[in-house]
């Protein structure tokens, strides 16, 4: 069965600092991996996704993530945090080629301090 | 033009009532979903429909009944509402094996009092 673990339910950084949100997955088949962002009282917006090919994936708003099969990880990074990045971030996995569901992690709340 | 739209955005109702949440997508996707987000922000799939047919039912109580009149609509009807049903319900559409992405609506915050 697939699962996603997000280490750290809360992450706080200063504006301009590096953002690192951790995600580890478990999947018996090649996974598709996603990062979604949820701003307060909003729906989920896709930041980036990995399906196949290049393991370093760039997304919107300056975020990127690297798929590391050996570590079963898909950590999200941004070189310089902005106040507007404050939100809830969700990592998700689905099985490649399967019109099945997204399995979400428990989310990480990112706070950005001035 | 909103890709996935849900109505209403907020719903406050008493225990025991029956309520519906509507969802429409204009993306031409074959597959639609309902997800539930609990008070701890945990997201879990409830149902998945593909071309109006039920694909996934994640052991959701029978009080929850999805209805898909056509592939652009997936409504969620809830009977005999309980306090524990209070949550944010998200509709989504996509085709994970082709679009490799699910597009989410803005959510419906259901509060049962």
């Amino acid at each position: 069965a697939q699962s996603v673990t997000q280490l750290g339910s809360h992450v706080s950084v200063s504006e301009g600092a590096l953002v690192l949100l951790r995600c580890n997955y478990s999947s018996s088949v090649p996974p598709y991996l996603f990062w979604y962002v949820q701003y307060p009282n909003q729906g989920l917006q896709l930041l980036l996704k990995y399906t196949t090919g290049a393991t370093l994936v760039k997304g919107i708003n300056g975020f990127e993530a690297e798929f590391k099969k050996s570590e079963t990880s898909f950590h999200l990074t941004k070189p310089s945090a902005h106040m507007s990045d404050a939100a809830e971030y969700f990592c998700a996995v689905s099985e490649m080629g399967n019109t099945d569901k997204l399995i979400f992690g428990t989310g990480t709340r990112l706070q950005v301090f001035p | 033009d909103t890709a996935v739209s849900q109505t209403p955005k907020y719903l406050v109702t008493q225990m025991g009532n029956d309520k519906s949440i509507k969802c429409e997508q204009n993306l031409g996707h074959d597959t639609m979903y309902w997800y539930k987000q609990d008070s701890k922000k945990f997201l879990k799939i409830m149902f998945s429909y593909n071309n109006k047919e039920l694909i996934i039912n994640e052991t959701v109580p029978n009080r929850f009944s999805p209805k898909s009149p056509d592939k652009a609509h997936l409504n969620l009807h809830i009977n005999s509402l309980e306090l524990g049903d209070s949550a944010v319900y998200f509709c989504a559409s996509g085709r994970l094996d082709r679009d490799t992405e699910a597009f989410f609506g803005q959510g419906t915050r259901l509060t049962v009092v």
Side-chain angles (χ1 to χ4, degrees), chain B residues 87-102:
Chain B
V88 182
Y89 292 85
F90 286 99
C91 178
S93 77
R95 178 83 183 180
L96 292 181
D97 66 340
R98 186 169 63 229
D99 301 325
T100 65
E101 181 177 343

Side-chain angles (χ1 to χ4, degrees), chain A residues 63-76:
Chain A
F63 284 93
E64 62 183 37
E66 187 170 11
F67 169 59
K68 292 187 177 180
K69 185 178 178 181
S70 61
E71 299 177 8
T72 61
S73 69
F74 191 57
H75 301 330
L76 182 71

Side-chain angles (χ1 to χ4, degrees), chain B residues 17-33:
Chain B
N17 284 350
D18 302 338
K19 290 294 178 184
S20 293
I21 306 172
K22 295 186 176 182
C23 179
E24 176 182 5
Q25 56 99 358
N26 62 7
L27 299 168
H29 291 153
D30 296 329
T31 309
M32 295 184 72
Y33 311 83

